[in-house]
Amino acid sequence: MEPGTEQSVHLFSFAAGWLFGAESTRHLHEQRSAAGLTVREHRDTSTAAGHDAFLLAAPGHLA
């Protein structure tokens, strides 16, 4: 890392996700923070489908 530059990591997760739950994101956050990186977490709470939402059939108004 060059002097005067800040390295940051953005972690994205889904509140409804069961494969990689909150504990996975927490673990990644702790590891990156310990390495001196600025970590920001973003959690999507708008869907009950989790990270597989893109596999669902599109609603009629989108077809």
Side-chain angles (χ1 to χ4, degrees):
M1 180 170 19
E2 294 190 27
T5 63
E6 180 182 321
Q7 298 291 318
S8 64
V9 174
H10 292 260
L11 300 173
F12 295 87
S13 62
F14 292 89
W18 58 270
L19 186 57
F20 301 104
E23 64 280 348
S24 296
T25 304
R26 210 172 5 259
H27 178 71
L28 289 171
H29 188 144
E30 290 169 359
Q31 286 185 322
R32 280 24 179 209
S33 292
L37 299 173
T38 299
V39 182
R40 293 184 176 90
E41 289 188 46
H42 308 276
R43 180 160 295 150
D44 184 310
T45 58
S46 67
T47 179
H51 74 279
D52 289 330
F54 70 93
L55 297 172
L56 300 175
H61 68 277
L62 295 177

